[in-house]
Amino acid sequence: MSAAPARAASSGLLTGSGASERRLPWYHLLVTALASIALAAVVLVLLDSFSIGALVVLGYVLHLVVGYSYARAREGRRWAADRLVTLLVLGAFAVAMIPLVSLLWEVVARGLDKLLNPYPGYFFTHDMAGVVGGMASGGISHAIVGTLLVTLGASIISVPIGLLTSIFLVEYATSGPLRVLGRGITFLVDVMTGIPSIVAGLFGLALFITLTGDPGIRIGLMGSVALSVLMIPTVVRSSEEMLRLVPMELREAAFGLGVPKWLTIVKVVLRTSIAGLTTGVTLAVARVIGETAPLLLTVGALPLMNSHLFDGRMQTLPTFINSQYRSGNAVCNSETVTNPITQMQYACSTTINYDRAWAAALTLILIVMILNIAARLVSRFFAPKLGR
Amino acid sequence: MAQAINVEDLNIFYGDFLAVEDVTVTLQPRSVTALIGPSGCGKSTFLRTLNRMHEVIPGAYAQGKVEIEGQDIYAPGVDPVNVRRRVGMVFQKPNPFPTMSIRDNVLAGVKLNNKRLSRSSADELVESSLRGANLWEEVKDRLDKPGMGLSGGQQQRLCIARAIAVKPEVILMDEPCSALDPISTLAIEDLIHEMKQDFTIVIVTHNMQQASRVSDRTGFFTISGTGKPGHLIEIDETEKMFTNPTEKQTEDYISGRFG
Ligand SMILES: Nc1ncnc2c1ncn2[C@@H]1O[C@H](COP(=O)(O)OP(=O)(O)OP(=O)(O)O)[C@@H](O)[C@H]1O
Ligand SMILES: [Mg+2]
């Protein structure tokens, strides 16, 4: 190892002809990695505390030393530093992936079975009417419809308000008193970003109680209003950034052709930034679609399908998960349970509530994923065309 | 169709900063006027007041009179949108609309204004504008491809085609060739020569050969120091400006003894 710097120095020409300056093929590092893991395994067995987790961690730490020393001896100081930093970055990446992967794994492992049995789609097409105790039936059709409707309502309220606000901030609040007003709005939007979701729920509840005078009122629209309080600031902020990215030259090009300002905004600014705007709106939707607290307060819960956004309680996925999980283990006194409405008999399962909760969680993740994919397709479709 | 522009006592501001002071000048119809002068003396600023593009910048405004066809474009009640339809502009950096095809870029002035055109008259307008900008032969087979896919020089000619497609009376050009190679530059200079049959053209340039090649009259702007307003020192026949200018400052600048 001590010879390496000397050799590196002696061959320190730009050509890098010396062996110590040449980058070795990747499998050299694979060999050192395997050696490190083997070493770690030996150490762990000797200490009598072998486990896969400990092996990976110790092997990684050992390889920081082994790989670096090897690279330092064979490849020189600069490549060794490169190897070391690459290893550290990979390590950080792996650590960052742990929660994500384990979460997905956990949800799929616990939820998938329920989505596929008794047959795929059963869970999506049935509600919880008459489902009692450990009855191994029931589904979330009502909760899916509720979540989609409430979130759609929130989007219909938030997207126009948010988008118009950001247009005002970027295109109109540029000088004079409007600029001062714009600063004030930006400040309020920042404050709104920090509102706890439960407070948004209380706002929705209080608003409708005040309007109707009925303290027990629960309707889907109230949830939409509460969620839009959370959604508007996100939409304003992301759209504002996207609109500011549109180069001033494009606006001037349109003005120079005698296009009025409002048409320039609609047909040039919005058209150019629509890909980014869609992404921003999707992120805002993903942000609120899993909200639980405000919906518990405003929309309540209902075991049946209710697709009237303007009338009565609704079930939503997050509140469904919450209530199922809180019900805990069911008690099974006999092999089967009878649905009091349909008179059908079903098997009894003690873990059914947990199963439903996890399956609903998986469904929620799937919905968000589908939304993201749809947004990507929209972005790609509208993205400015640069090629020939 | 082409119109003279009368500028009287024009002062141009960015907020509190007086950028150009007291310009009085007449720009002749059906001719090319070149504006030259050191960087920062207010050539672009002045040019942008001729189609009320200056006020697009927050806090910027102009005082004085700019008359086109005897009508003051800064009079109260004049809609800047109508002014810009009569006075077109080509910018220093080519700026085709990235979301539009070549054809749509040429038709942008029509389409963005929500005007309807029959398919055949649209085709005619596209062809005549692109021919007018000397670009037709190069792009006629790929009109539906994105405008951003053209080379820089082609993009600039596309922007010129886009400007003449709205049939303005005056065309303003701010260093239209500064991002282009000598061949594209020559193409655009030839184009300017042809275009002056129909338009009043005002062009800003840092290239004195270019000014002497393309223009009939040349105006010289300068500033006496940083933070001071720019002035129009002298404007005259190009020939006279480059051989025998009246003002000492002009002569110094043209012969390279500036600053
Ligand atoms: N958006 C702006 N806000 C404030 N001041 C500006 C702005 N644009 C230009 N100025 C100032 O106005 C003066 C004239 O600028 P202008 O761009 O008209 O110069 P120019 O003659 O076109 O220079 P160049 O040859 O470098 O393009 C300069 O002092 C400049 O700093
Ligand atoms: Mg300039």
Side-chain angles (χ1 to χ4, degrees):
Chain A
M1 216 191 118
S2 57
R7 242 194 292 156
S10 66
S11 63
L13 298 168
L14 282 177
T15 50
S17 54
S20 60
E21 288 254 320
R22 192 167 294 148
R23 183 159 201 180
L24 297 170
W26 60 273
Y27 49 78
H28 284 255
L29 266 285
L30 185 65
V31 173
T32 57
L34 291 178
S36 309
I37 289 177
L39 188 60
V42 171
V43 171
L44 286 173
V45 168
L46 287 183
L47 292 178
D48 200 21
S49 53
F50 186 87
S51 75
I52 291 291
L55 180 70
V56 170
V57 172
L58 188 64
Y60 174 74
V61 173
L62 277 176
H63 191 230
L64 287 183
V65 180
V66 174
Y68 178 76
S69 312
Y70 180 80
R72 177 90 192 242
R74 296 284 311 270
E75 295 179 304
R77 177 196 276 260
R78 199 164 58 81
W79 279 121
D82 179 64
R83 300 282 193 204
L84 184 66
V85 174
T86 307
L87 270 179
L88 288 174
V89 170
L90 281 178
F93 172 71
V95 170
M97 289 305 285
I98 289 173
L100 187 63
V101 170
S102 68
L103 182 141
L104 275 181
W105 176 256
E106 197 74 9
V107 176
V108 171
R110 296 191 189 220
L112 192 59
D113 185 59
K114 187 78 200 136
L115 291 192
L116 300 179
N117 289 311
Y119 56 85
Y122 178 91
F123 194 61
F124 293 151
T125 49
H126 290 73
D127 60 17
M128 294 289 284
V131 177
V132 289
M135 189 191 298
S137 69
I140 53 169
S141 62
H142 59 316
I144 294 177
V145 168
T147 282
L148 291 181
L149 282 180
V150 170
T151 316
L152 181 72
S155 309
I156 289 175
I157 300 171
S158 317
V159 172
I161 296 181
L163 198 58
L164 289 175
T165 307
S166 62
I167 289 175
F168 171 77
L169 289 177
V170 176
E171 306 290 336
Y172 291 94
T174 50
S175 62
L178 285 187
R179 188 183 160 90
V180 179
L181 182 60
R183 290 259 172 90
I185 290 176
T186 305
F187 175 74
L188 290 179
V189 168
D190 284 347
V191 172
M192 254 177 107
T193 315
I195 290 182
S197 58
I198 186 77
V199 177
L202 285 172
F203 165 78
L205 187 64
L207 178 69
F208 276 75
I209 290 178
T210 312
L211 288 180
T212 62
D214 171 10
I217 185 166
R218 298 281 184 279
I219 44 181
L221 183 66
M222 293 168 65
S224 298
V225 170
L227 290 187
S228 66
V229 172
L230 301 171
M231 214 175 142
I232 288 171
T234 335
V235 175
V236 173
R237 274 317 207 172
S238 64
S239 318
E240 191 189 343
E241 257 157 53
M242 289 306 145
L243 296 184
R244 284 198 200 283
L245 282 181
V246 177
M248 198 57 205
E249 287 100 69
L250 288 186
R251 297 185 179 90
E252 294 196 340
F255 293 151
L257 294 169
V259 181
K261 184 162 185 166
W262 73 274
L263 273 175
T264 303
I265 292 170
V266 174
K267 294 189 144 190
V268 175
V269 179
L270 292 184
R271 177 64 189 79
T272 310
S273 56
I274 193 154
L277 296 175
T278 324
T279 312
V281 168
T282 319
L283 287 179
V285 170
R287 152 100 176 69
V288 299
I289 202 169
E291 279 296 344
T292 317
L295 295 184
L296 279 177
L297 284 177
T298 54
V299 183
L302 185 76
L304 316 170
M305 171 73 78
N306 171 16
S307 50
H308 293 287
L309 191 58
F310 302 99
D311 186 19
R313 292 165 186 264
M314 288 176 112
Q315 189 66 275
T316 55
L317 284 169
T319 54
F320 177 82
I321 297 168
N322 177 57
S323 67
Q324 288 295 307
Y325 219 91
R326 270 192 320 164
S327 317
N329 279 320
V331 183
C332 281
N333 295 323
S334 58
E335 285 287 295
T336 59
V337 192
T338 311
N339 186 322
I341 298 178
T342 60
Q343 301 302 329
M344 300 249 283
Q345 291 216 331
Y346 297 96
C348 188
S349 155
T350 53
T351 60
I352 184 68
N353 293 330
Y354 291 126
D355 294 344
R356 283 198 207 100
W358 284 104
L362 179 57
T363 310
L364 193 54
I365 292 178
L366 286 177
I367 291 179
V368 172
M369 216 167 74
I370 290 171
L371 268 176
N372 272 310
I373 291 171
R376 264 170 197 266
L377 290 180
V378 171
S379 305
R380 179 159 317 170
F381 183 72
F382 282 113
K385 295 156 192 67
L386 299 170
R388 267 158 202 267
Chain B
M1 176 164 177
Q3 296 296 336
I5 306 173
N6 280 306
V7 180
E8 250 173 74
D9 302 324
L10 189 67
N11 290 294
I12 313 172
F13 297 84
Y14 289 102
D16 300 332
F17 173 58
L18 176 59
V20 177
E21 191 174 27
D22 220 6
V23 177
T24 299
V25 67
T26 297
L27 305 170
Q28 304 292 347
R30 280 193 195 76
S31 73
V32 180
T33 305
L35 302 177
I36 59 171
S39 192
C41 66
K43 306 177 296 293
S44 301
T45 306
F46 172 71
L47 195 73
R48 288 163 59 93
T49 52
L50 300 182
N51 69 344
R52 297 196 57 173
M53 194 65 115
H54 177 62
E55 65 209 51
V56 166
I57 295 166
Y61 65 100
Q63 286 174 341
K65 243 191 194 172
V66 176
E67 282 182 353
I68 300 178
E69 205 183 0
Q71 190 194 13
D72 181 9
I73 63 170
Y74 280 96
V78 173
D79 184 353
V81 168
N82 287 331
V83 174
R84 292 177 200 140
R85 284 179 189 163
R86 299 174 54 192
V87 185
M89 185 152 203
V90 176
F91 299 81
Q92 176 167 357
K93 235 176 77 190
N95 53 0
F97 294 110
T99 53
M100 296 185 192
S101 64
I102 294 173
R103 182 189 149 85
D104 286 350
N105 261 289
V106 178
L107 293 175
V110 178
K111 291 204 162 175
L112 292 180
N113 276 314
N114 280 344
K115 280 193 226 132
R116 299 242 160 263
L117 261 192
S118 71
R119 174 89 202 179
S120 60
S121 48
D123 286 342
E124 245 167 64
L125 182 60
V126 169
E127 177 165 352
S128 65
S129 306
L130 284 172
R131 280 193 193 283
N134 260 331
L135 189 61
W136 175 250
E137 292 301 327
E138 286 157 76
V139 300
K140 65 179 181 213
D141 300 323
R142 49 165 163 156
L143 291 175
D144 290 323
K145 295 278 154 53
M148 295 294 275
L150 298 174
S151 78
Q154 290 171 328
Q155 285 185 20
Q156 191 63 301
R157 278 179 282 152
L158 179 60
C159 293
I160 294 176
R162 181 176 71 184
I164 59 187
V166 291
K167 307 207 163 70
E169 294 148 29
V170 180
I171 293 189
L172 311 174
M173 299 185 170
D174 192 352
E175 301 183 40
C177 303
S178 65
L180 305 183
D181 70 300
I183 294 179
S184 311
T185 302
L186 275 185
I188 289 181
E189 286 180 7
D190 288 345
L191 179 59
I192 293 172
H193 252 295
E194 287 165 27
M195 281 165 47
K196 77 175 177 189
Q197 323 293 330
D198 303 318
F199 305 101
T200 303
I201 296 176
V202 187
I203 175 172
V204 171
T205 178
H206 277 293
N207 182 330
M208 307 238 208
Q209 281 84 34
Q210 180 168 67
S212 61
R213 279 194 302 261
V214 301
S215 71
D216 304 301
R217 289 168 67 82
T218 299
F220 172 61
F221 277 85
T222 195
I223 30 171
S224 43
T226 41
K228 302 262 175 55
H231 288 269
L232 176 63
I233 299 295
E234 185 176 1
I235 180 162
D236 215 324
E237 299 297 321
T238 298
E239 171 110 21
K240 176 158 186 306
M241 285 289 279
F242 282 97
T243 50
N244 183 21
T246 315
E247 297 287 329
K248 176 96 174 51
Q249 289 186 62
T250 315
E251 192 183 336
D252 286 351
Y253 182 75
I254 285 167
S255 56
R257 268 172 292 165
F258 175 74

